[in-house]
Amino acid sequence: MDVTGIAKLATSIADTGTRQDVAIAVLKKAQDIQSTSALQLLDAVQATAPAQNLPPHLGNHINTTA
């Protein structure tokens, strides 16, 4: 292998490592954004859910013969 080939290989390996680091950082940021959005959505649903005054026996059984 000549010196130019070795230099190209080393540059390629370094470039690949940098690309992977950037891709992982972007993925982690996307996951953080999704988790924040999910928490905000759950908080909004809980805040807007009306209080229901239903009898305690409702919702305990599922009718499977309908």
Side-chain angles (χ1 to χ4, degrees):
M1 217 181 218
D2 62 347
V3 176
T4 307
I6 293 172
K8 285 181 182 179
L9 179 61
T11 304
S12 175
I13 290 171
D15 187 39
T16 301
T18 304
R19 286 182 188 172
Q20 288 176 347
D21 291 342
V22 170
I24 290 171
V26 169
L27 176 63
K28 286 181 180 181
K29 185 65 177 174
Q31 288 175 335
D32 290 343
I33 291 170
Q34 284 180 340
S35 67
T36 302
S37 298
L39 289 174
Q40 289 175 349
L41 182 61
L42 288 174
D43 288 342
V45 168
Q46 291 173 353
T48 60
Q52 296 179 352
N53 296 324
L54 298 175
H57 70 278
L58 289 179
N60 294 330
H61 302 285
I62 297 173
N63 183 3
T64 59
T65 60

